[in-house]
Amino acid sequence: MKLYSYWRSSCSWRVRIALNLKGLSYSYEAVHLVKDGGQQNSDAYRALNPMRTVPTLELEEGGQVRRLSQSVAILEYLEERYPTPALLPADPLLRARIRMLAEMVNSGIQPLQNLSVLQFVKGELQRDDKAFAAHWNVRGLTALEAAVKETAGTYCLGETVSLADIFLVPQLYGARRFAVDLSPYPTLTRIEAACEKLPAFQAAHPDRQPDAAPA
Amino acid sequence: MKLYSYWRSSCSWRVRIALNLKGLSYSYEAVHLVKDGGQQNSDAYRALNPMRTVPTLELEEGGQVRRLSQSVAILEYLEERYPTPALLPADPLLRARIRMLAEMVNSGIQPLQNLSVLQFVKGELQRDDKAFAAHWNVRGLTALEAAVKETAGTYCLGETVSLADIFLVPQLYGARRFAVDLSPYPTLTRIEAACEKLPAFQAAHPDRQPDAAPA
């Protein structure tokens, strides 16, 4: 498998964690979201992924090259195709609970602070992009803290790592980039610290990627 | 089952379509997103759903009342619990494809034009909320048209209604509200017309809900 990824893209990061947790090896293809006006906007990448987003997962099945995009679709595919270790519990109501927590990040926070939106807020609207990003992080994390508290153990749901943790960790990193005060979210930061002890999460961290350019 | 819904909420609409397609009956509990400063912001509703979003699906299982929120989590739950008729195909790669199309709406368009975001753009940023919404609709629908074309038959994937169609139809209604020209998306509007012939889609339309207030 080949993963088209950007080191600091939270959606790429989610997939890296899942691939690592499931013990799947992959090659890393960097797509720089800022350089050259954004390599995701090139004709070559657009042909792979018309939404011009990372990640894209390339794989071979039945002798054919297939490409999957959208992190939720990729994660659900990995879960169905490589069920062990499971990232969703067996019980349908608990699965719904985990997906709800994941969605609070996936559709509730991340889309409002991704690069193209912030570029638009700053460039077209001439408004403070970091304040915009921080606003939606605070709103979403407040709700997420309340929801996670109900089921949290070491991780978002008891003692087992799940999709919810995979969405949480990259989002908290994003929140810090926008100078969000995380002290009102003690459950979330405690879970983050527990995840960061796991090798699968460590290896997926932006700073450990081949295209990392830490300040 | 009881569905907390708002007639014009595209996320509520998605769940109404799925409930109808699966032949599941439910009672309708209106949550007015604008009246009284937004009934979703009331303490009572916040206790049901800390994210203050619609829909919320309330159901009884094992003698207990359970509440699910986030349309993606609810839809996946309904698909697992009531698998017939299927809204996802059996093949893992096709399932990923359908979820990718759904995500292009779910995380790619809808979050950028929901009510709370537009209120913020207009009220806090003092910018044109409708132009903001239209921009992200155009960007997302352009990508979606390109992606859907590859697999479309009568519906987004061949001849069977799927989750992708459930996300598409409410989004096109939203795009029209923001005066987006839909002529560049002939595949999407053709599929929409096919869906609108189905009783499950007809009964889920905003104008047919108890809290509808068409202009």
Side-chain angles (χ1 to χ4, degrees):
Chain A
M1 289 192 280
K2 183 193 283 187
L3 184 69
Y4 293 86
S5 168
Y6 179 58
W7 64 295
R8 225 156 52 171
S9 144
S10 66
C11 300
S12 302
W13 187 350
R14 295 169 190 163
V15 174
R16 297 194 302 256
I17 299 170
L19 288 166
N20 293 347
L21 283 169
K22 290 186 179 287
L24 300 166
S25 66
Y26 62 95
S27 65
Y28 190 100
E29 187 78 25
V31 180
H32 201 296
L33 298 187
V34 182
K35 207 160 59 181
D36 313 327
Q39 294 175 345
Q40 76 281 15
N41 297 316
S42 69
D43 289 345
Y45 190 72
R46 222 167 160 155
L48 301 180
N49 180 336
M51 198 75 176
R52 295 176 275 159
T53 54
V54 283
T56 302
L57 184 66
E58 198 170 274
L59 51 94
E60 244 189 82
E61 200 147 308
Q64 277 197 300
V65 174
R66 311 288 197 135
R67 290 183 196 95
L68 307 180
S69 64
Q70 296 291 337
S71 64
V72 167
I74 296 172
L75 292 166
E76 295 275 358
Y77 169 82
L78 292 174
E79 181 69 359
E80 291 175 354
R81 189 76 179 68
Y82 306 97
T84 310
L87 302 176
L88 286 168
D91 176 70
L93 281 170
L94 289 179
R95 293 166 75 83
R97 183 87 197 169
I98 294 296
R99 288 188 175 115
M100 177 197 79
L101 298 174
E103 277 301 312
M104 291 171 79
V105 173
N106 178 59
S107 58
I109 306 176
Q110 197 281 331
L112 293 159
Q113 50 113 86
N114 73 25
L115 187 64
S116 60
V117 172
L118 298 187
Q119 286 172 339
F120 189 83
V121 167
K122 191 177 182 184
E124 300 290 320
L125 304 187
Q126 305 263 307
R127 287 293 182 259
D128 184 340
D129 54 334
K130 288 200 171 53
F132 187 84
H135 174 82
W136 301 107
N137 268 279
V138 168
R139 189 183 196 279
L141 293 176
T142 302
L144 190 59
E145 170 77 17
V148 165
K149 254 201 295 205
E150 295 179 27
T151 54
T154 302
Y155 305 108
C156 287
L157 182 76
E159 300 308 314
T160 310
V161 172
S162 73
L163 274 188
D165 305 296
I166 289 176
F167 280 77
L168 171 65
V169 168
Q171 191 56 53
L172 291 179
Y173 173 95
R176 278 190 199 92
R177 285 182 62 204
F178 303 117
V180 171
D181 171 18
L182 296 185
S183 64
Y185 319 117
T187 314
L188 303 183
T189 51
R190 177 177 60 67
I191 292 168
E192 181 193 34
C195 290
E196 284 174 345
K197 288 185 190 146
L198 305 175
F201 280 78
Q202 290 168 0
H205 192 279
D207 293 350
R208 301 269 297 268
Q209 305 317 304
D211 55 337
Chain B
M1 289 192 279
K2 183 193 282 187
L3 184 68
Y4 293 85
S5 167
Y6 178 58
W7 64 295
R8 224 155 53 171
S9 144
S10 67
C11 300
S12 302
W13 187 350
R14 295 170 190 163
V15 175
R16 296 195 302 257
I17 298 170
L19 288 166
N20 294 347
L21 283 169
K22 290 185 178 287
L24 300 166
S25 66
Y26 62 96
S27 66
Y28 189 101
E29 188 78 26
V31 180
H32 201 297
L33 299 188
V34 183
K35 209 160 59 181
D36 314 328
Q39 294 175 347
Q40 76 281 15
N41 296 317
S42 70
D43 289 345
Y45 190 74
R46 221 166 159 154
L48 300 181
N49 180 335
M51 196 76 174
R52 296 176 276 159
T53 54
V54 284
T56 302
L57 184 67
E58 197 170 274
L59 50 95
E60 245 188 81
E61 200 147 307
Q64 278 198 301
V65 175
R66 311 288 196 131
R67 290 183 196 94
L68 307 180
S69 64
Q70 296 289 338
S71 64
V72 167
I74 296 172
L75 292 166
E76 294 275 359
Y77 170 82
L78 292 174
E79 181 68 1
E80 291 175 355
R81 190 77 178 65
Y82 306 96
T84 311
L87 302 177
L88 286 168
D91 176 69
L93 280 170
L94 289 179
R95 294 166 74 84
R97 183 87 198 171
I98 294 295
R99 287 186 174 117
M100 176 197 79
L101 299 175
E103 277 301 311
M104 290 170 80
V105 173
N106 179 60
S107 57
I109 307 176
Q110 198 281 333
L112 293 160
Q113 51 114 85
N114 73 25
L115 187 64
S116 60
V117 171
L118 298 188
Q119 285 172 339
F120 189 84
V121 167
K122 190 178 180 180
E124 300 291 320
L125 304 188
Q126 306 264 307
R127 287 291 182 264
D128 184 341
D129 56 335
K130 287 197 172 56
F132 187 83
H135 174 81
W136 301 108
N137 268 278
V138 168
R139 189 182 196 281
L141 293 177
T142 302
L144 190 60
E145 170 78 16
V148 165
K149 254 200 296 203
E150 294 179 29
T151 55
T154 302
Y155 305 108
C156 287
L157 182 75
E159 300 308 314
T160 310
V161 172
S162 73
L163 274 187
D165 304 295
I166 289 177
F167 281 77
L168 172 64
V169 168
Q171 191 56 52
L172 291 179
Y173 173 95
R176 278 191 199 90
R177 285 183 63 204
F178 303 117
V180 171
D181 171 17
L182 296 184
S183 63
Y185 319 116
T187 314
L188 303 182
T189 51
R190 178 176 59 68
I191 292 168
E192 180 193 34
C195 290
E196 284 174 345
K197 289 185 190 146
L198 305 175
F201 280 79
Q202 289 168 359
H205 193 280
D207 293 349
R208 302 269 297 268
Q209 305 317 305
D211 56 337

